[in-house]
Amino acid sequence: GGGAADSGPSSGQAGGVVSVNAGHTNQREPTASAAETRGSNWANAAAARRASPITRPIQVVVRREQLDVLPALDVGARRAVDPTVVSFQQPTDKVLDELAAVLQQHIKDWGSAGQGMYWRPTLVLQVAPGADRHAARLNDLLADSGVDIRLQQVASRPKEGSADARR
């Protein structure tokens, strides 16, 4: 299949998924889906087959500098397992390649989805303070990738000094 997978920052988007431009308004231009250049289902090749999807969640924390892809909960494990970190301090293509590799490893670890079925991960995003734009851009980039995105609603913490905080 052709293509320059290791050609470095060819996308012209140095800085990866994060592109904070100080001084710009809060208006966010939608980011084009990576599927426009990588093709449909680029992050999950099994999604292209004529099969039924079986969805399974993967918890991802979107931070200002990185994505933390949390490991699947292993009931038998008695020790904490560190998340897999995908740094934003690299070109967007590299961020997407690393994320896809992490997701493909999760899918492999899940085993077979069953005859006529495939795993379709749903990234459940927890967005750290200040990382909202990164989550929105990730959502745009992963459109039509073979992976679904769901934003986990996190209850806001009561402010110090409020009645709720003193309970």
Side-chain angles (χ1 to χ4, degrees):
D6 294 321
S7 65
S10 60
S11 69
Q13 295 174 328
V17 170
V18 300
S19 59
V20 178
N21 296 321
H24 286 74
T25 66
N26 286 337
Q27 295 296 324
R28 189 183 73 82
E29 290 292 320
T31 302
S33 170
E36 290 182 19
T37 55
R38 293 171 175 243
S40 292
N41 302 312
W42 63 267
N44 186 6
R49 297 194 315 238
R50 289 189 181 272
S52 299
I54 305 296
T55 60
R56 190 158 176 183
I58 297 176
Q59 302 290 325
V60 177
V61 180
V62 181
R63 301 188 187 282
R64 289 181 181 173
E65 301 291 322
Q66 66 193 34
L67 294 173
D68 292 344
V69 182
L70 305 182
L73 292 178
D74 183 356
V75 179
R78 294 287 178 214
R79 61 182 178 81
V81 180
D82 292 333
T84 302
V85 174
V86 178
S87 172
F88 290 149
Q89 302 306 312
Q90 57 186 335
T92 301
D93 285 343
K94 296 288 187 189
V95 172
L96 294 175
D97 290 345
E98 281 187 30
L99 179 59
V102 171
L103 300 180
Q104 289 161 8
Q105 184 59 53
H106 273 259
I107 292 169
K108 182 179 173 190
D109 292 347
W110 293 339
S112 174
Q115 186 172 355
M117 295 179 277
Y118 71 93
W119 291 116
R120 186 173 182 97
T122 298
L123 302 187
V124 181
L125 303 184
Q126 295 176 327
V127 183
D132 295 9
R133 291 181 65 162
H134 310 321
R137 184 150 187 243
L138 184 64
N139 183 63
D140 293 348
L141 286 165
L142 291 177
D144 197 26
S145 67
V147 175
D148 297 324
I149 302 275
R150 187 173 80 222
L151 186 63
Q152 181 171 323
Q153 294 300 321
V154 180
S156 60
R157 295 188 186 103
K159 292 182 179 163
E160 288 189 37
S162 73
D164 289 338
R166 289 192 294 262
R167 288 184 194 175

